[in-house]
Amino acid sequence: MFTLLSSVAKPVSLGPLVVRVNSLYSAETSTVGNDRNSMAAPSPKWAQKTVTLPPQRRGCHLITSKVLKEIGPDLSEFKCGLAHLFLHHTSASLTINENYDSDVRDDTETFLNKIVPEGRSAPWKHTLEGPDDMPAHIKSSMFGCELTIPITNGQLNMGTWQGIWLCEHRDSPTARKVVVTLNGI
């Protein structure tokens, strides 16, 4: 369990280590029940939605706007929290990277294809679903299938040049499902 502190830095004792923590939200600044003297902390909220992404060609695709369009109304209800994205597939992946220059996505795909060989000369045993399947599983494991992003004042708190990517590692496009879970106050 953790304690939210007021906007004034307060020391927190972690054994011999003392850390100063600043936070925007606390029981002391909450207006729960319109009683500024109330010690009750804001109740945590949860929201969850499955976002279905349309089939994409092989490569890295910026999906931030699609995700935000789907979760926007729920996201706007959170002042502080976390957004967790979980991809339901083992041959695609999620990552956060450059959101402006599409060359970065193209170069990332080139890099992945160079370090994870494909085709008949590749050393993979798992080829039941085609020569691109095992390489897709490896690439998916490299980037992973989940992301956690802070929420601040109803928005995903990402850097100016950061965006959410879906990396499609198969040659045959297929729709992909991402479960987005929001938690916070």
Side-chain angles (χ1 to χ4, degrees):
M1 183 174 189
F2 61 90
T3 303
L4 295 174
L5 301 175
S6 71
S7 60
V8 177
K10 294 181 181 179
V12 176
S13 177
L14 300 173
L17 177 65
V18 175
V19 177
R20 294 208 176 269
V21 179
N22 288 325
S23 177
L24 299 174
Y25 307 100
S26 73
E28 294 139 7
T29 60
S30 170
T31 56
V32 175
N34 293 326
D35 180 4
R36 293 203 53 86
N37 295 322
S38 171
M39 290 302 291
S43 297
K45 296 184 281 192
W46 290 86
Q48 187 173 77
K49 183 168 191 173
T50 300
V51 177
T52 301
L53 300 169
Q56 299 281 346
R57 64 176 172 72
R58 183 179 178 146
C60 300
H61 307 277
L62 189 61
I63 60 167
T64 312
S65 61
K66 171 71 172 159
V67 170
L68 288 174
K69 181 179 175 186
E70 296 287 330
I71 68 167
D74 289 320
L75 183 63
S76 67
E77 299 295 317
F78 290 84
K79 295 284 184 205
C80 179
L82 294 173
H84 182 264
L85 288 73
F86 180 82
L87 180 66
H88 272 206
H89 305 277
T90 62
S91 58
S93 57
L94 294 173
T95 190
I96 293 177
N97 211 310
E98 169 76 39
N99 71 358
Y100 181 74
D101 186 355
S102 62
D103 286 347
V104 177
R105 293 189 298 277
D106 293 342
D107 289 346
T108 300
E109 174 67 10
T110 299
F111 168 77
L112 289 171
N113 291 333
K114 186 170 184 154
I115 64 167
V116 183
E118 290 185 27
R120 299 196 194 299
S121 63
W124 319 125
K125 292 179 184 178
H126 175 73
T127 59
L128 293 175
E129 297 177 57
D132 67 336
D133 190 39
M134 188 61 217
H137 294 313
I138 293 169
K139 294 171 187 177
S140 175
S141 290
M142 290 171 65
F143 279 168
C145 63
E146 64 182 325
L147 300 172
T148 302
I149 304 168
I151 300 169
T152 305
N153 295 323
Q155 297 193 19
L156 297 180
N157 192 343
M158 295 192 295
T160 301
W161 304 110
Q162 290 182 319
I164 303 167
W165 292 9
L166 169 74
C167 299
E168 176 57 65
H169 305 303
R170 297 295 309 267
D171 290 326
S172 298
T174 184
R176 300 297 190 173
K177 292 182 188 260
V178 179
V179 178
V180 182
T181 305
L182 308 175
N183 176 243
I185 55 173

